[in-house]
């Protein structure tokens, strides 16, 4: 089981396939995603890695987190999340994961906080049909009706579908297809819509109900340290 990544939702657009098919996609940006800490069986009882993504100002970072980032020798991150992995897929602290971690056609599971819609009635929130529109019905057209029982048990059970706050909950969409990736811009395009608002942080991991493609990099697609410096030195030598 490989690690997932933390991405930022930029919005939706469209792309066209080779056959001219119009494909609606959501644009996700992967930027500065680094390993902050490891969780091992010997020390924690399970194996996982902690990732951080984005940039945060030092003055806006609390002192305990400053020490946590300083121990890992990474810059303060805007978002932190932990991903369970198998022991053979553990990554070194400080490693940076790139968009090449996912390949075109791969299925992924996407988790995000859905957009909050405020207080809503049962017809909008739970798709109730409502009461009759005529024949003596008065001011209860969109009401939910009875909510409890008689004297026994004499209470409303937890989880009863009623009016209340809609949205703003953790939602996971499974088996979302990766359409393409842009290495230069650090973008991942996935088919259709995903939970979350624009600018929100989203977790993307390999789909649990689909087989991982053989060409997917293991344990992860990592940015090579000093690759840019090597390219610059090679250009200077050619001159």
């Amino acid at each position: 089981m490989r690690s997932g990544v933390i991405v930022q939702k930029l919005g939706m657009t469209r792309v066209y396939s080779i056959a001219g098919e119009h494909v609606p996609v959501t644009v996700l940006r992967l930027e500065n995603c680094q390993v902050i800490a490891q969780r091992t069986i010997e020390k924690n009882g399970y194996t996982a890695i902690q990732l951080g993504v984005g940039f945060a100002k030092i003055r806006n970072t609390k002192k305990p987190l400053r020490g946590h980032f300083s121990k890992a020798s990474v810059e303060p991150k805007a978002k932190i999340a932990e991903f369970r992995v198998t022991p053979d897929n553990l990554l070194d602290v400080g490693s940076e994961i790139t968009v090449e971690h996912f390949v075109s056609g791969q299925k992924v599971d996407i988790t995000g906080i859905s957009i909050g819609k405020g207080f809503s009635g049962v017809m909008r929130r739970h798709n109730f049909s409502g009461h009759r529109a005529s024949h003596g019905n008065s001011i209860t057209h969109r009401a939910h009706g009875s909510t409890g029982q008689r004297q026994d048990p004499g209470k409303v059970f937890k989880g009863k579908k009623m009016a209340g706050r809609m949205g703003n909950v953790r939602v996971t969409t499974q088996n979302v297809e990766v359409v393409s990736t842009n290495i230069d811009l650090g973008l991942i395009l996935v088919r259709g819509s995903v939970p979350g608002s624009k600018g929100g942080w989203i977790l993307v991991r390999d789909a649990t109900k689909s087989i991982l493609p053989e060409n997917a990099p293991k344990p992860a697609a990592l940015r090579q340290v000093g690759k840019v410096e090597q390219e610059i030195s090679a250009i200077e030598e050619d001159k």
Side-chain angles (χ1 to χ4, degrees), residues 2 25 30 40 50 61-62 65-67 99 115 125 127 130 139 146 148-149 153 158 164 176 188 225:
R2 301 191 310 164
V25 296
L30 179 63
T40 59
Q50 188 183 71
T61 304
K62 296 182 179 180
L65 281 179
R66 293 183 190 178
V99 296
I115 299 175
R125 190 183 186 198
N127 199 28
I139 67 172
S146 176
Q149 296 77 30
K158 291 183 179 180
V176 181
I188 304 173
V225 179

Side-chain angles (χ1 to χ4, degrees), residues 210-230:
S210 298
I211 300 175
L212 183 68
E214 296 181 356
N215 57 344
K218 293 181 180 182
L222 304 177
R223 186 180 301 277
Q224 297 181 5
V225 179
K227 183 177 180 180
V228 178
E229 289 77 1
Q230 293 177 2

Side-chain angles (χ1 to χ4, degrees), residues 162-209:
M162 301 176 67
R165 183 178 295 176
M166 183 177 176
N168 195 29
V169 294
R170 185 183 175 95
V171 180
T172 298
T173 304
Q174 295 183 321
N175 287 334
V176 181
E177 180 185 352
V178 176
V179 177
S180 63
T181 58
N182 189 316
I183 302 174
D184 297 331
L185 300 178
L187 301 179
I188 304 173
L189 305 183
V190 296
R191 181 184 291 268
S193 60
V194 299
S197 58
K198 292 182 181 179
W201 299 107
I202 294 176
L203 308 182
V204 183
R205 54 174 63 88
D206 298 333
T208 57
K209 296 181 179 179

